[in-house]
Amino acid sequence: MADYDVDVAIIGAGIAGIGIGAELARSRSVLVLEAEEQPGYHATGRSAAVYLKHYGNDTIRWLTARSEAFYLNPPAEVTETPLLSPRGELMITDGSDEDVFIRQVEGSALLREISPREALSLVPILRPEKVRRAAIENASDIDVHALHQGWIKVMRKRGGTLLCNARVSKLTREGNRWLIESPAGVVSAAVVVNAAGAWADKVAAMAGLDPIGLTPCRRSMAVLPAPEGYDVSRWPVFGPARELWYCKAEAGTLYVSPAEEDPMEPHDAYPDDMVLAEGLDRFEQAVTIRVTRIERSWAGLRTFARDRTPVIGFDPAAEGFFWLAGQGGYGIQTSPAASRLASAIILGEKAAGDDERTVRAQLDPARFR
Ligand SMILES: Cc1cc2nc3c(=O)[nH]c(=O)nc-3n(C[C@H](O)[C@H](O)[C@H](O)COP(=O)(O)OP(=O)(O)OC[C@H]3O[C@@H](n4cnc5c(N)ncnc54)[C@H](O)[C@@H]3O)c2cc1C
């Protein structure tokens, strides 16, 4: 006997699970199961919170562009707080990665090349000899907390349920329903959405499915005191064209990431001291300040499919099993469009046009089956 009977059960209360939960709750009964006490505890709560239009492959860019209107003008019922705060993204090259720099600038109309002198005036701690060429894009900071909490609020208002401390341990098919077992109770649902982030392949295995081949990759962040004598509040995010580190000024501190992408098993990620030290060394070589103290640090898992494109759609191998995973390093900025698209597929709505049809095919888990 099930404790809950719903149209759609969603596993994972990160930005992906909550986004689609809020969207589907308009017309379906939904319930989200989250393993942790705190929704957003894993990747969602650990991101750099940047919205960058030229980031990722074409499918990612499509989703990011389709999310922009929502970000610029979020529905008041979700949040009254502006979700985007403009800031630039400055890409530099010292010559060693000029090929990457050229490819990026030529591949994006959004990136505008500026003179090294302009770059140095934007971020005065850069070493002049490390800035042979530079380009800038209009990036923004995302208020991830406001979005995530806003979607939780809206989902509940629309009748949806969020169960925390509800780690799913078993998924079985009974007739045309899924039975989902967790310490918070047994849920019966017509559709199950796998939004379990780094654990998505493990969740699929519980349902007797082969893995898609998702790889969780660790990325860390060190928080440094801002250098004295500089107003860092207007600095763009900056880093080299080959992502060997990047730096973002935040509330009187500098966040510096070694930009690593180390594959690992899903777990509660934490930084590796050596990886942090090496990343900070690369940062130090490009700037005129010394790293004297790390105030704190953290790490999270960015989970990629083999083609670095998210996996969104029904699994052809199991009726009613829907994937919403593999968002990599773009899961926040793409979440409004990804939630809407995923919801439309579940509701059986037709693609809005040729480009959406193409994108649906690129996201379809069937490409791995
Ligand atoms: C350092 C770093 C910087 C980043 N910077 C950016 C950025 O600037 N911009 C951007 O757009 N993206 C960024 N990202 C990526 C972004 O954070 C992710 O793509 C996004 O958060 C993924 O969301 P999610 O909901 O899929 O995963 P998660 O937030 O990890 O949520 C998955 C949830 O599933 C739950 N779960 C797992 N197994 C079970 C189970 N068996 N039962 C119940 N629940 C379960 C987990 O507890 C977890 O809460 C960054 C990531 C990192 C780590």
Side-chain angles (χ1 to χ4, degrees), residues 64-80:
T64 305
R66 292 295 159 119
S67 299
E68 190 178 24
F70 177 98
Y71 270 122
L72 290 175
N73 200 4
E77 57 175 345
V78 175
T79 179
E80 309 237 352

Side-chain angles (χ1 to χ4, degrees), residues 9-13 31-35 161-163 166 168 180 182 184-185 187:
I10 298 161
I11 302 175
L31 182 145
V32 182
L33 297 124
E34 168 53 50
T161 304
L162 167 61
L163 299 178
V168 172
I180 303 142
S182 84
V187 182

